[in-house]
Amino acid sequence: MLVENGIAEDESASLLPAMVELLPQVQRRHIDDIRRDGVLLPGAVAAVRAVHDEPGFLPTIVTRNLKPNALLKLAAFDLTRHVHTDIGGYASDDMHRPPWSASRRSGPRHSRGRASADPRR
């Protein structure tokens, strides 16, 4: 994002930690814009709720968003209560492999004795 907005690549590395910290704070100030301009697809709430209510399933989030930003967007549309955000995969975990982050988190707590597969293989 920094490079795409004109910041030199060598400067981006030093600015990134501050950006990661500030971005959720800035986004929080725009929650009304997110609600107004965001799009909740028809049937999305019912689909997420159905997975949540199905025994043996754990709906979660895998996204290229930072975790605080993803949680803010979910909360804007009242979806947080239907997903297990603690086991999600976020860009703040590993921007190249968020699904692995979710799988790694869910395995020990929710596998019920099954070994978690490593999706990187």
Side-chain angles (χ1 to χ4, degrees):
M1 182 187 302
L2 292 169
V3 172
E4 289 179 14
N5 285 285
I7 304 298
E9 204 163 322
D10 57 334
E11 290 180 61
S12 295
S14 64
L15 295 173
L16 190 58
M19 186 181 104
V20 167
E21 183 178 328
L22 293 172
L23 193 56
Q25 296 172 26
V26 171
Q27 187 172 357
R28 200 171 292 114
R29 293 194 300 253
H30 296 278
I31 190 73
D32 291 333
D33 298 328
I34 293 169
R35 286 186 184 115
R36 183 188 65 236
D37 299 333
V39 177
L40 184 60
L41 297 176
V45 174
V48 173
R49 188 179 304 137
V51 174
H52 178 269
D53 293 344
E54 186 68 29
F57 286 90
L58 296 167
T60 192
I61 302 302
V62 176
T63 179
R64 292 178 67 187
N65 280 267
L66 301 172
K67 184 175 182 177
N69 292 6
L71 297 179
L72 186 72
K73 291 175 182 180
L74 288 169
F77 295 101
D78 198 28
L79 291 170
T80 310
R81 61 190 164 137
H82 302 296
V83 295
H84 294 264
T85 58
D86 59 326
I87 59 172
Y90 307 93
S92 40
D93 299 329
D94 181 340
M95 69 183 278
H96 301 291
R97 298 191 183 274
W100 171 236
S101 299
S103 177
R104 187 178 62 236
R105 276 194 200 102
S106 67
R109 292 175 40 208
H110 301 287
S111 67
R112 294 190 176 104
R114 296 181 306 241
S116 295
D118 181 344
R120 295 181 293 182
R121 293 184 186 161

